[in-house]
Amino acid sequence: MKSTFLPLFACMIILFTIGVAFNGKMNWYVYLILICCYTIAFAILTYFKTKSYIYAVHINEEKLIINGQTFNSKWTDNLEINNLKLELKGEAQGRGHSEYVLILKSRDKKYKINSLYNWDYFKLLELFKELKIVKGEKIILDEKFLMDRIEKKALGYSIIDINFGD
């Protein structure tokens, strides 16, 4: 929350100060109400995004063991690998910046690995490949393309190198 909320909140305070200082027509409380609304909306969205995350995944024969945490309570789920749908996905984080997640879908639940963008991309790719092998599925062309982008990002390539480089 510190890394995303505080810089945006600081920008809003600066805009508030500039608006009050240079615009005598609009009352200061209008800016204050806008900042409060923004802060509350952003806090609620951040709360729902960060309340639960997955920190470990283990493959045990035909089962997938997922360890996660919701606030301070840890949880574990066991899933049958054959009943899972796997999806690699890029999530835009602004202009020219994206992060990648692995989504596991079972019949009744959906798990998003790397939702807080704290996983090592090499481990994420390794997990995806292992799950594909255990399920007996081939990696399709779209997945290969996305895996290549993830690997380049993990190696430290810039978005320009990833999009236009070799």
Side-chain angles (χ1 to χ4, degrees), residues 1 5 28 55 58 68 71 93 112 118 135 137 165:
M1 199 161 167
F5 179 70
W28 63 272
Y55 61 86
H58 306 285
F71 295 118
Q93 297 297 312
K112 196 176 202 181
N118 56 349
K135 284 183 62 106
E137 294 179 357

Side-chain angles (χ1 to χ4, degrees), residues 50-107:
T50 61
K51 74 177 186 173
S52 184
Y53 69 96
I54 296 170
Y55 61 86
V57 176
H58 306 285
I59 299 173
N60 186 5
E61 294 178 17
E62 298 293 318
K63 295 273 186 188
L64 184 69
I65 302 166
I66 299 175
N67 297 316
Q69 185 170 338
T70 302
F71 295 118
N72 290 331
S73 63
K74 294 183 178 185
W75 50 268
T76 301
D77 276 348
N78 294 320
L79 303 170
E80 289 186 34
I81 294 176
N82 291 329
N83 295 335
L84 287 177
K85 292 183 182 177
L86 309 173
E87 180 182 354
L88 276 175
K89 187 175 181 184
E91 294 185 339
Q93 297 297 312
R95 186 174 179 187
H97 181 72
S98 61
E99 298 290 341
Y100 300 94
V101 296
L102 174 59
I103 299 173
L104 307 172
K105 295 179 185 176
S106 69
R107 291 181 188 144

Side-chain angles (χ1 to χ4, degrees), residues 114 117-126 150 154:
N114 197 26
Y117 314 122
N118 56 349
W119 276 60
D120 178 48
Y121 283 128
F122 291 117
K123 289 182 182 178
L124 195 69
L125 287 173
E126 182 181 329
I150 294 170

Side-chain angles (χ1 to χ4, degrees), residues 33-51:
I33 290 171
L34 289 173
I35 289 173
C36 289
C37 290
Y38 166 79
T39 303
I40 291 168
F42 191 80
I44 290 170
L45 291 173
T46 303
Y47 166 77
F48 283 112
K49 184 176 180 181
T50 61
K51 74 177 186 173

Side-chain angles (χ1 to χ4, degrees), residues 14-26 31:
I14 290 169
L15 289 174
F16 170 73
T17 306
I18 291 171
V20 169
F22 296 110
N23 189 358
K25 294 179 183 177
M26 186 175 274
Y31 287 108

